[in-house]
Amino acid sequence: MSLPSGLSAFDLTGRTAVVTGASRGIGYGITQALAAAGADIIGVSANIAASDIGDVVRLSGQEFTAIAADFSDREQILELGAQLAELGPDILVNNAGTIERAPARVHPLELWDRVLEVNLSSQFALTQAVAAPMLDKGYGKVIFTASLLSFQGGINVPGYTAAKSGIAGLTKALANEWASQGVNVNAIAPGYIATDNTRALRADPDRSTAILDRIPAGRWGRADDLAGAAVFLASAASDYVSGAVIPVDGGWLGR
């Protein structure tokens, strides 16, 4: 994919991007988009070996490196951070995540702990390591995957909501410290995207109808709906954007 004249600020040629959770869903779509814009990719996921995302990236003419990691395992994430810091990527997309559904009154603490570890604590630990060489060289892009539940409370997902609210705050906290050092930190807040995480909602006729009735665009989102925001935040086009949480939600929050 070549970029039209006048859009060179969006060109990622010569950049290397780490995308966590790259094997499927939103991470898969973001990986495709960054590769199409010219970035080489380091794809990280617990199930990366089972995905065809590497083939997709290589077909676009970019290099792909696969790394397997379990984001619920703190030691693995610390080792991953040290490994990635040595590679010195220009872009880090913190997309790996999980969700556990149970009413708050009976929500098991072990599920709470796992969701917070995967969706928030591991994100900070990895960013802390990977951003160090970015700060040293004075350039880098960090992108978190937030959520509509960074703004709202949700139903039966207290751990997920707490983690994604934390991601919105972490985005701003890191941006405050690092923007003056050339590292932009921002987040994308996807709306209701047709992925594994929303399978239960889409299978429930009442919940699915209620959700669609509120989305002005009138449909569930697709992973590739996030492509434009991801490339923008990963590129020089967003050099003066810092601490933003950008909804890509078909108009849900504006309803």
Side-chain angles (χ1 to χ4, degrees):
M1 173 181 176
S2 60
L3 293 170
S5 177
L7 295 181
S8 59
F10 294 87
D11 188 357
L12 299 179
T13 301
R15 300 296 188 188
T16 298
V18 173
V19 183
T20 69
S23 63
R24 59 182 182 172
I26 288 171
Y28 190 107
I30 288 175
T31 298
Q32 282 185 292
L34 298 184
D40 294 325
I41 304 293
I42 301 171
V44 184
S45 175
N47 301 309
I48 196 71
S51 175
D52 68 348
I53 187 60
D55 295 332
V56 171
V57 169
R58 294 184 189 100
L59 281 173
S60 70
Q62 307 310 125
E63 295 182 5
F64 182 83
T65 303
I67 301 176
D70 178 354
F71 281 77
S72 68
D73 185 323
R74 178 71 60 87
E75 288 305 314
Q76 282 195 38
I77 297 309
L78 294 176
E79 291 172 7
L80 173 65
Q83 180 181 1
L84 292 175
E86 286 292 320
L87 297 174
D90 309 287
I91 301 156
L92 171 62
V93 181
N94 283 302
N95 171 73
T98 191
I99 192 166
E100 298 287 355
R101 301 181 186 277
R105 181 172 180 174
V106 295
H107 199 89
L109 286 178
E110 59 267 24
L111 297 187
W112 167 277
D113 288 342
R114 182 173 186 276
V115 170
L116 267 290
E117 183 64 34
V118 172
N119 291 10
L120 183 59
S121 296
S122 72
Q123 312 291 321
F124 176 66
L126 188 62
T127 302
Q128 191 177 46
V130 176
M134 293 180 179
L135 293 164
D136 289 342
K137 68 184 178 184
Y139 181 86
K141 302 283 185 174
V142 176
I143 305 167
F144 288 98
T145 298
S147 169
L148 293 182
L149 300 192
S150 299
F151 306 96
Q152 301 176 327
I155 300 170
N156 295 333
V157 286
Y160 186 85
T161 300
K164 291 301 185 178
S165 297
I167 285 294
L170 180 60
T171 297
K172 297 169 187 176
L174 298 182
N176 287 344
E177 292 193 38
W178 295 347
S180 64
Q181 300 176 66
V183 176
N184 297 87
V185 185
N186 294 288
I188 299 170
Y192 284 93
I193 309 296
T195 65
D196 290 346
N197 276 359
T198 59
R199 189 184 305 278
L201 298 178
R202 288 181 285 123
D204 181 328
D206 293 335
R207 288 284 283 130
S208 182
T209 298
I211 288 166
L212 287 173
D213 283 347
R214 178 172 167 165
I215 300 173
R219 65 172 176 84
W220 288 82
R222 300 182 298 267
D224 59 10
D225 287 321
L226 304 170
V231 172
F232 169 64
L233 292 178
S235 71
S238 63
D239 280 354
Y240 200 59
V241 178
S242 187
V245 182
I246 300 176
V248 181
D249 64 355
W252 172 280
L253 288 174
R255 188 66 175 233

